[in-house]
Amino acid sequence: MKTNSIDYKSIPGWGIDIDPENEPTYPMKNYTGDDHKRSVYERSEPQPVNIELLKSNERPAFSMVFGESIPPSGLSGMIRRYAFKHSEDRYRHWIPLILADRVNAWEGIVDDLKKGTIPNIFAERGMKSEMKYNAGPFAKKALTTVAVGIALYLLCRKKK
Amino acid sequence: MLAMNYRGPFRVRAEQRPMPEILHPEDAIVRVTRTCICGSDLHLYHGMVPDTRVGSTFGHEFIGIIEEVGPLVTNVKVGDQVLVPFNIACGKCNFCKQGLYGNCHESNTMATAVGGIFGYSHTAGGYNGGQAEYVRVPYANVGPTVIPPDMDPDDAVLLTDVVPTGYQAAEMGGIKEGDTVVVFGAGPIGIMAARCAWFFGAARVIIIDHVDYRLEFAKNYAKCEAYNFKSMADPVLFLKKTTDWFGADVCIDCVGCEAEGNALQTFTGKITLMQAGAATALQWAINSVKKGGIVSVVGVYGPPFNYVPIGNVLNKGITLRANQASVKRLLPKLIDHVQSGRLSPKDLITHRVPLEEIADAYNIFSKKLDECIKTVLIPSTKN
């Protein structure tokens, strides 16, 4: 990439209206004047990379520390790898990640079954509290679901 | 150890997982004694944050006891009782050095638009969170802060996010003496923002929500006016009328991407995901603030984009200010506010639930059952 190498300070009027007090992000940001030396700072030593780590392509290298949880795997992992080929500006990054999350939820159920565990989706959705604090609307919703199910079943049978 | 385990939208459970380990010389392992469910955890729980992987442990509001430290950790020691800011910050990059601890450049490999956050998806760094008995805390020389011995742990746990975020929401509003401040959202953050607006000299604080029990609580806790937008034909028009037709001096969005109140926003943002959540509160904030006013945003939105009236931002000359709270920067001041009695964060806590019952805790908080405002999870290893 070509960089602009002109001596911008020689441009007539350069810097004439600089007002160091005009810092709209204060007090959130305690401006030190070092924004243009931002690449130069003492870094911590890097965390060893022992897992597959997907990196935003908007940064040149891994951050010095990172989360070690849940490396990409399976079909959702393939989708995530595709997503990370695209910058954070692109839908091609975010939409596949949402899709991967949905696929991953099904993979989680399959993993549970493989381990011999039948996921207790009723308990995982907090239905105990639902029945305790929201029994009326919950019962109404359950009855509606059952009624719609029966209606669909009867409709299908009639068509046959 | 026992930890929360995300299984997909609206599904979580507590189960045994391996103990966290020191992976970097500046890491610490913290035994969690209190941890909260945050309103922004619900965005993860509802499946609205991209790259939320099954098997993740959420939780960015927690306190605990240092159990183990890496060889380069000098600021805290084993046995210290610490509160841990939700931001993971190196303390050395240009952003951290300027107090922008929520924007650290060395804590998130997966995205550049946000710094590392505990238990907040791989978009925020892929760290396991504190809804567990133990948690790995990177950069332990920077974040963990020793809890003053006379501080109630219930106050301390709310200093990890709720209080700093609410306070910074008001701070970013640039409130001047005599200003009218409108806060959208009467969740814990909105209630705290309304309470803190008085610290900056507001003359009138109004909070807007649609949940009556929360509005009633906000009115008493934050000493503010509280209105239910469902009782109004048009909330923006109501706010214009009540501010002499000029608009509020400062509007604060404490709702974020799961707002209610606008059918088009709800359809495009929550049902079809054609935008990163429903930006109703931000739309109302922009349209309710005066010309030349300030809109402060701490409500969480997803990364892609949202439909907001940006033309009105230009034409009204609005200043839009937003950020994740810089917890470490604010802690000394906020600890003083709590210790002096000016703030009592623990009053927000309505539910204390064992970590084992996390699925019910999420459902209660998500559906606002049992008049829930703030839930604290208590691991069995707290003692």
Side-chain angles (χ1 to χ4, degrees):
Chain A
M1 190 189 294
K2 253 187 159 179
T3 53
N4 187 349
S5 59
I6 65 162
D7 176 11
Y8 56 85
K9 289 186 181 176
S10 67
I11 295 169
W14 180 87
I16 197 166
D17 292 329
I18 286 175
D19 177 5
E21 299 298 310
N22 183 9
E23 173 46 60
T25 57
Y26 181 85
M28 200 166 65
K29 175 173 168 180
N30 182 21
Y31 184 56
T32 60
D34 283 345
D35 273 2
H36 306 294
K37 299 174 199 154
R38 62 194 162 211
S39 305
V40 185
Y41 56 91
E42 180 203 347
R43 287 168 168 78
S44 295
E45 67 177 76
Q47 179 179 333
V49 182
N50 301 319
I51 57 164
E52 181 185 355
L53 200 55
L54 296 175
K55 181 180 74 61
S56 165
N57 67 2
E58 292 185 36
R59 53 179 304 135
F62 295 143
S63 53
M64 293 299 125
V65 303
F66 50 85
E68 77 292 1
S69 71
I70 327 292
S73 64
L75 177 59
S76 64
M78 288 165 64
I79 301 169
R80 292 189 210 284
R81 286 182 200 105
Y82 167 80
F84 272 82
K85 289 179 182 164
H86 306 287
S87 82
E88 295 163 53
D89 176 62
R90 313 300 292 267
Y91 304 134
R92 276 170 274 178
H93 182 75
W94 298 112
I95 303 296
L97 286 176
I98 290 275
L99 174 67
D101 291 346
R102 299 296 179 269
V103 170
N104 200 193
W106 287 100
E107 289 172 334
I109 292 173
V110 172
D111 279 350
D112 277 342
L113 294 173
K114 274 187 192 166
K115 289 175 192 160
T117 308
I118 297 170
N120 186 347
I121 293 174
F122 190 81
E124 287 172 355
R125 293 179 72 97
M127 288 300 132
K128 200 173 82 183
S129 61
E130 191 74 18
M131 287 189 291
K132 186 172 176 187
Y133 299 114
N134 204 27
F138 177 67
K140 200 172 152 187
K141 204 171 162 185
L143 285 174
T144 308
T145 308
V146 170
V148 170
I150 291 170
L152 283 173
Y153 172 74
L154 292 174
L155 198 69
C156 291
R157 248 181 58 163
K158 200 177 167 187
K159 273 188 181 172
K160 278 179 188 172
Chain B
M1 67 151 187
L2 195 68
M4 177 267 197
N5 186 327
Y6 172 71
R7 305 309 301 167
F10 298 91
R11 289 176 51 218
V12 298
R13 65 189 183 216
E15 69 179 19
Q16 291 296 322
R17 315 192 66 167
M19 283 284 288
E21 293 171 9
I22 299 278
L23 300 173
H24 183 272
E26 294 169 51
D27 282 357
I29 304 297
V30 168
R31 173 160 57 88
V32 178
T33 53
R34 295 271 195 298
T35 177
C36 297
I37 303 176
C38 177
S40 57
D41 287 330
L42 296 180
H43 308 325
L44 300 169
Y45 177 69
H46 296 157
M48 297 191 74
V49 179
D51 216 355
T52 303
R53 300 183 191 173
V54 167
S56 304
T57 295
F58 302 166
H60 55 268
E61 300 179 3
F62 60 92
I63 61 170
I65 297 165
I66 301 273
E67 284 286 304
E68 190 183 350
V69 292
L72 295 182
V73 175
T74 52
N75 278 4
V76 288
K77 59 184 187 308
V78 171
D80 281 348
Q81 301 212 32
V82 292
L83 66 89
V84 182
F86 75 87
N87 332 103
I88 300 171
C90 72
K92 295 173 181 171
C93 70
N94 180 259
F95 305 102
C96 285
K97 278 186 174 165
Q98 297 186 96
L100 298 171
Y101 294 101
N103 309 108
C104 175
H105 202 57
E106 292 297 351
S107 58
N108 187 0
T109 291
M110 289 83 173
T112 54
V114 60
I117 298 174
F118 289 98
Y120 209 77
S121 82
H122 278 68
T123 295
Y127 298 91
N128 276 325
Q131 288 167 8
E133 290 177 335
Y134 295 86
V135 59
R136 169 194 171 218
V137 174
Y139 296 133
N141 286 324
V142 181
T145 302
V146 174
I147 300 170
D150 57 339
M151 181 173 278
D152 188 318
D154 285 343
D155 282 329
V157 75
L158 295 183
L159 282 166
T160 61
D161 180 356
V162 173
V163 182
T165 300
Y167 183 91
Q168 185 168 313
E171 183 190 52
M172 288 191 298
I175 299 165
K176 308 283 185 304
E177 191 176 341
D179 274 358
T180 295
V181 178
V182 175
V183 178
F184 293 95
I189 301 288
I191 293 168
M192 193 54 67
R195 178 69 189 84
C196 291
W198 300 113
F199 292 165
F200 296 92
R204 190 178 177 200
V205 179
I206 298 168
I207 198 163
I208 305 283
D209 201 292
H210 65 104
V211 181
D212 282 327
Y213 78 84
R214 290 191 167 189
L215 287 166
E216 190 60 28
F217 182 91
K219 193 162 71 177
N220 295 322
Y221 181 87
K223 318 289 179 212
C224 61
E225 298 168 46
Y227 299 103
N228 189 327
F229 66 74
K230 289 206 166 156
S231 68
M232 306 165 185
D234 183 338
V236 172
L237 190 60
F238 168 82
L239 288 167
K240 283 282 174 64
K241 280 183 184 172
T242 196
T243 52
D244 300 330
W245 299 96
F246 285 105
D249 300 291
V250 175
C251 283
I252 302 176
D253 171 8
C254 294
V255 179
C257 66
E258 297 200 58
E260 296 198 22
N262 179 307
L264 184 62
Q265 288 278 2
T266 301
F267 179 75
T268 55
K270 292 166 73 176
I271 298 170
T272 59
L273 293 184
M274 289 163 65
Q275 57 166 327
T280 308
L282 184 52
Q283 179 182 325
W284 287 349
I286 290 168
N287 290 337
S288 306
V289 79
K290 70 180 182 187
K291 292 170 187 165
I294 298 175
V295 172
S296 166
V297 185
V298 293
V300 173
Y301 292 89
F305 64 90
N306 280 97
Y307 304 144
V308 292
I310 197 72
N312 293 355
V313 175
L314 167 74
N315 292 326
K316 291 171 75 175
I318 293 167
T319 300
L320 198 56
R321 300 184 75 185
N323 207 345
Q324 295 284 353
S326 181
V327 179
K328 185 179 167 65
R329 173 178 69 82
L330 292 168
L331 271 180
K333 183 181 287 182
L334 297 176
I335 287 173
D336 180 54
H337 281 329
V338 171
Q339 289 190 306
S340 65
R342 287 185 288 271
L343 275 180
S344 180
K346 65 174 179 287
D347 295 350
L348 294 170
I349 297 171
T350 51
H351 290 68
R352 289 178 174 78
V353 181
L355 181 61
E356 289 83 347
E357 294 173 22
I358 194 160
D360 290 310
Y362 264 90
N363 188 55
I364 289 168
F365 192 42
S366 169
K367 293 195 176 145
K368 301 181 181 73
L369 304 178
D370 196 29
E371 304 208 339
C372 180
I373 292 176
K374 189 69 182 172
T375 302
V376 175
L377 300 164
I378 318 275
S380 60
T381 48
K382 68 178 178 7
N383 295 318

